[in-house]
Amino acid sequence: MTNLSVYEKAVQLQNRARQIAAGAVGEKEAARVLSRSKELRAGLAELRTQVELSHTLAALGAAHKPDLSGIDTARTAFERKALNGLPSDAVFNTARKKVQELAGKLKGDSSAAWVTWATAQVAALPLARIPVLSRDEREAARNRERELRQAVATKNLSKADTTLFTSTYALLAESLHDKSDPPSELLKLLEVLEKRPSPTLRDITDGDIALLRQFEMDIHITLQRTGA
């Protein structure tokens, strides 16, 4: 990638500076270039991270491929000014600032694209089916839903975040795909049964029991005697 060319150029400058340290230019000049090169490399490492994230989002269909023309322009300008000797501090600072600007823009674009895409993915899940799952499955599904919503709102998106989101999404979607959408009456009844303290058998009608059996939810309901 073009940004790697700038990165390699900074490495070359560091090697050259080490050689100069033993020569006529002196250790002070070598130390300056080493310091500036280290700063530039740190910025380039962040830029590379953001470029890779942009490509990851593009592969998911969450964003378009990033425009990297600005990287080519910055690289060309830096190389031109480095042809006739070691670049000045001003040249290094200009290059570092440009790299930071490009990384910041990519990060902002990726964040906006991620929120839009990930929000739509969660909205497309048949989450209304969660209440009809067994107790353990229901708890796992709700944890996964919570993890997905937290991932949507993450402040510093990374490739690891996208991988975790897609794997968690796949697990939740798989647990829901063969379930039927429950009627509103069943959802309301399940909410009542999950309240604490639990309702008594007197609170449950024959119609409620028939509804539970109709959707095979009766196997997930237990009865416990209290009192004498």
Side-chain angles (χ1 to χ4, degrees):
M1 284 188 286
T2 53
N3 63 313
L4 295 182
S5 299
V6 187
Y7 188 89
E8 292 165 357
K9 187 70 175 178
V11 174
Q12 292 172 3
L13 285 171
Q14 281 191 308
N15 294 333
R16 185 176 177 185
R18 292 190 181 96
Q19 296 173 354
I20 291 173
V25 175
E27 294 183 2
K28 184 177 180 179
E29 181 68 358
R32 179 187 70 81
V33 175
L34 284 171
S35 178
R36 299 289 84 79
S37 296
K38 183 178 180 180
E39 293 170 353
L40 181 56
R41 288 180 67 186
L44 287 167
E46 173 61 16
L47 177 57
R48 178 167 56 184
T49 296
Q50 295 306 322
V51 169
E52 292 174 350
L53 176 59
S54 296
H55 282 295
T56 296
L57 294 179
L60 289 174
H64 297 295
K65 288 185 177 180
D67 179 8
L68 305 180
S69 59
I71 299 177
D72 288 327
T73 300
R75 175 184 57 80
T76 301
F78 183 81
E79 290 182 340
R80 184 176 65 252
K81 294 178 180 179
L83 287 176
N84 299 318
L86 296 175
S88 65
D89 283 349
V91 172
F92 273 113
N93 291 338
T94 297
R96 179 166 53 85
K97 182 179 179 181
K98 186 63 176 177
V99 166
Q100 290 173 338
E101 290 175 351
L102 291 169
K105 184 179 186 306
L106 287 176
K107 183 176 182 179
D109 291 345
S110 293
S111 179
W114 170 255
V115 170
T116 299
W117 180 82
T119 299
Q121 295 298 303
V122 174
L125 286 168
L127 299 176
R129 299 175 184 177
I130 290 179
V132 302
L133 299 175
S134 66
R135 180 176 180 180
D136 290 343
E137 290 178 326
R138 187 165 67 249
E139 183 177 354
R142 285 174 174 166
N143 286 336
R144 287 167 182 156
E145 179 189 359
R146 182 166 56 253
E147 290 172 1
L148 291 178
R149 295 191 185 282
Q150 289 173 344
V152 171
T154 185
K155 298 299 182 182
N156 293 297
L157 182 66
S158 66
K159 289 177 63 178
D161 291 326
T162 66
T163 299
L164 180 60
F165 180 93
T166 53
S167 61
T168 301
Y169 181 93
L171 290 171
L172 182 54
E174 175 65 21
S175 68
L176 298 174
H177 87 280
D178 60 346
K179 302 296 186 295
S180 300
D181 291 329
S184 59
E185 295 82 2
L186 179 60
L187 291 177
K188 291 178 181 178
L189 175 57
L190 292 175
E191 288 179 3
V192 170
L193 293 175
E194 290 182 357
K195 287 182 178 180
R196 294 295 178 271
S198 301
T200 65
L201 189 58
R202 177 178 294 179
D203 300 318
I204 307 302
T205 68
D206 292 342
D208 292 336
I209 296 175
L211 184 61
L212 292 171
R213 288 177 173 169
Q214 178 185 346
F215 287 89
E216 298 182 350
M217 291 299 297
D218 52 331
I219 62 174
H220 304 308
I221 307 298
T222 60
L223 298 175
Q224 183 177 2
R225 180 181 178 183
T226 61

